[in-house]
Amino acid sequence: MFVTNHYNCFKCWLFLLFIGCPGGFYGPNCSNACPDTNCYCHLETGTCQGCKPGYQGYLCKSACGRGYYGVECQQECGHCHDLTKCFHTNGSCLTGCEAGYHGEACKASCQYGFFGPGCLHECNDTCDGCNRFNGSCDSGCNPGWQGYECQDACDTESFGDNCSRTCGHCRDVNHCSNINGTCLTGCDVGYHGVLCKTPCPYGFFGQDCADRCSDTCDGCNRFNGSCDTGCNPGWQGYECQNACDTGSFGDNCNDTCGYCRDMDQCSNINGTCLTGCDAGYHRDLCKTPCPSGFFGPDCVDQCKDACDGCNRFNGSCDSGCNPGWHGYECQDVNVALNKPAYLQDPWPWGGDDIDASNAVDGRKSDLSGGGGQCAVSDFGQTATWWVNLTTIHSIHNITIYFMTENDLQGKVTFYSFIFSLW
C-alpha cells in the first residue's frame, strides 16, 4: 500500500483500527505475515492472541485431542466410526458414523426405518421400525407378522397387530391376509364384506351373498337360499313354489277372496279381483255390498228412480217403491200424487190433518180419521172431493184406500163411499 500524504495515512490507520488486517497478516499496512499460522495474531505486534478452532497449546501448535474439536477444543466429537478421524476443526467424521447415527458430525440418531453405520440400512419390512444399531425388531412387528425378528406370518385364521385378530368367514381360510384380514378369494356362503364377517342382508344368500332369494320367499336361508323363514304373501309350500289355492290369498294363504267375477282371477298376493266384482259387490276386494241405489257387477248400475233402493244383485224393486209409484217393478206412477185437491164440507173440527191433499200425498200407513193421512168430510153430508191432474193422462187403474180406523179385520162398517170420474 503506498501512502502519498499524511491525510491518506490517517485514513489507513482508521481502516486498520476498526476493520483489522486480513487473516494471517499484521503491522503497518498489514504487510507482515503472522509468525504462527494457527494463531489469531496481534494487529500491530503479530504476537499470538488465541488459537483458531481445532488448535491448542503454546503458540497453538497442537491439534485438539482425541474426541474434541472446535474453539479451544471444547466441543465433543459425535459418534464417529473412528474417533481419531474426527476432524479437529469442525468435528466432521472423516471415516463415517458408527451404527445408529448419521450426519456430518454423526450426532443425529437414525430416522424410523433405518439402522447401522451412517443409518444406511433399511429395517426389515415386517418390523415396526427396528433397533437403530443392529436392525433387530425389538420394537415389535408390523401387522401380520410375529417372531423375534418378525420373520413369521401370523398363524392361519389370525391377522393384524400381534396377530391378535381372527379372520372372518373366508372361502379359503388359507387366503386370509395376515396383514389386514382381507379374504383374498372371497367369502364363504352366508357372509360378505371385505373381512367376510357381515351376514348376508335380507333377500340374499350364498358365497359373497351374491345370489338373490326367490321372489316368493320372505327372505331366505342365507347359506343355501331355502325358504325356511316363510313365504311372501300369496305363496305356499316348502320352497314357496305354489300359489295360494283358488279362493285364498295373503300371508300363509289365510285370507279368503271376496266376490270376484271370476274366482280364478283373485290375486293370490293381495286378493284384488283382477276382472272385477260379481253382482252386488264393489271395490278392490269385492267384499263391500253395493251402496243404496246401485246394483250389478261392481255396483256400476243405478237403481230405477221409482224404486226405494233396489236388489243389489239384479236391480229389482223388491224393497218397495218411492212415493207415487207402484207395481212389482215400480213401473206404474200415481198421476194424482201431490196434485191440487179440493174437499167440499170437510170435518168442521179438523185442520191440516183432514185436508183434501192428504188423499193424494201417497201416504197410507195410518188410515184413521185423526192420522193425518186421510181427507175427512163432515158427517151427514155428501162429500165432494176432486183432484186436478193438470194434464191429460191415460189412466190404467184407480186405487182407493178407504178410511178404516186401522181396523185390519174390516169391522168398521159405518162409512160408505161412492165415487165418479168426470
Side-chain angles (χ1 to χ4, degrees):
M1 179 177 183
F2 182 73
V3 180
T4 60
N5 55 44
H6 293 290
Y7 176 74
N8 286 337
C9 184
F10 177 72
K11 285 173 61 179
C12 291
W13 270 114
L14 285 176
F15 175 80
L16 296 174
L17 178 64
F18 291 103
I19 304 302
C21 291
F25 292 89
Y26 74 99
N29 302 325
C30 299
S31 59
N32 301 321
C34 295
D36 301 299
T37 57
N38 298 326
C39 289
Y40 293 115
C41 68
H42 191 276
L43 182 64
E44 297 178 10
T45 64
T47 58
C48 188
Q49 299 295 302
C51 298
K52 292 180 180 179
Y55 294 94
Q56 62 182 345
Y58 177 69
L59 299 180
C60 303
K61 293 185 180 295
S62 301
C64 295
R66 183 178 184 273
Y68 292 89
Y69 73 97
V71 179
E72 298 182 355
C73 298
Q74 293 297 309
Q75 293 175 276
E76 272 193 82
C77 293
H79 299 272
C80 297
H81 184 263
D82 181 355
L83 273 180
T84 63
K85 300 299 183 182
C86 172
F87 195 58
H88 59 282
T89 59
N90 61 12
S92 297
C93 294
L94 301 179
T95 57
C97 304
E98 68 178 11
Y101 296 92
H102 72 120
E104 187 177 2
C106 299
K107 289 187 176 183
S109 298
C110 291
Q111 294 177 319
Y112 178 89
F114 293 87
F115 74 98
C119 304
L120 297 176
H121 302 290
E122 287 194 60
C123 299
N124 190 329
D125 289 341
T126 62
C127 292
D128 182 13
C130 67
N131 184 299
R132 71 176 192 269
F133 302 106
N134 58 21
S136 63
C137 298
D138 49 13
S139 56
C141 301
N142 278 327
W145 299 91
Q146 60 184 344
Y148 181 71
E149 292 300 324
C150 304
Q151 73 279 10
D152 299 321
C154 294
D155 296 334
T156 301
E157 297 190 28
S158 63
F159 73 96
D161 287 328
N162 300 315
C163 299
S164 59
R165 300 184 65 185
T166 303
C167 292
H169 300 271
C170 296
R171 195 176 304 175
D172 182 353
V173 76
N174 292 317
H175 285 87
C176 169
S177 168
N178 60 308
I179 297 172
N180 57 22
T182 301
C183 292
L184 303 177
T185 56
C187 303
D188 201 0
V189 294
Y191 295 91
H192 72 128
V194 176
L195 300 183
C196 299
K197 290 188 174 183
T198 306
C200 293
Y202 178 90
F204 293 86
F205 74 99
Q207 292 180 332
D208 294 308
C209 304
D211 299 311
R212 281 184 177 272
C213 300
S214 169
D215 291 339
T216 62
C217 291
D218 181 14
C220 67
N221 183 299
R222 71 176 193 266
F223 301 105
N224 58 22
S226 64
C227 298
D228 50 13
T229 54
C231 301
N232 278 328
W235 300 90
Q236 60 184 344
Y238 182 72
E239 291 299 324
C240 305
Q241 72 279 13
N242 300 320
C244 294
D245 297 334
T246 300
S248 62
F249 72 96
D251 286 330
N252 299 315
C253 300
N254 284 334
D255 296 311
T256 302
C257 292
Y259 297 89
C260 297
R261 194 174 305 174
D262 180 354
M263 194 58 72
D264 290 331
Q265 297 297 315
C266 169
S267 168
N268 60 309
I269 297 172
N270 58 23
T272 300
C273 293
L274 303 178
T275 55
C277 302
D278 203 358
Y281 296 91
H282 70 137
R283 294 187 178 167
D284 289 341
L285 300 184
C286 299
K287 291 187 175 184
T288 305
C290 294
S292 176
F294 294 87
F295 73 99
D298 295 307
C299 304
V300 296
D301 299 312
Q302 282 190 278
C303 301
K304 293 179 182 178
D305 292 337
C307 292
D308 181 14
C310 69
N311 183 299
R312 70 175 192 266
F313 302 104
N314 57 24
S316 63
C317 299
D318 50 12
S319 56
C321 301
N322 282 323
W325 298 86
H326 60 96
Y328 181 71
E329 291 299 324
C330 303
Q331 72 276 15
D332 298 324
V333 62
N334 181 358
V335 295
L337 181 68
N338 295 322
K339 295 295 192 294
Y342 173 77
L343 176 64
Q344 182 181 354
D345 296 325
W347 179 253
W349 294 281
D352 290 341
D353 57 340
I354 63 167
D355 189 74
S357 62
N358 291 347
V360 288
D361 63 3
R363 297 180 298 164
K364 56 182 184 298
S365 60
D366 187 350
L367 298 181
S368 65
Q373 297 182 14
C374 295
V376 183
S377 61
D378 193 6
F379 288 105
Q381 301 293 328
T382 298
T384 299
W385 177 91
W386 60 263
V387 60
N388 183 1
L389 301 181
T390 68
T391 187
I392 297 173
H393 290 276
S394 175
I395 298 175
H396 298 283
N397 65 290
I398 297 176
T399 302
I400 298 174
Y401 294 93
F402 194 62
M403 189 175 71
T404 65
E405 295 298 337
N406 297 325
D407 183 356
L408 301 180
Q409 304 299 320
K411 296 178 180 179
V412 179
T413 58
F414 53 87
Y415 299 112
S416 61
F417 186 82
I418 300 172
F419 75 92
S420 61
L421 299 174
W422 72 93

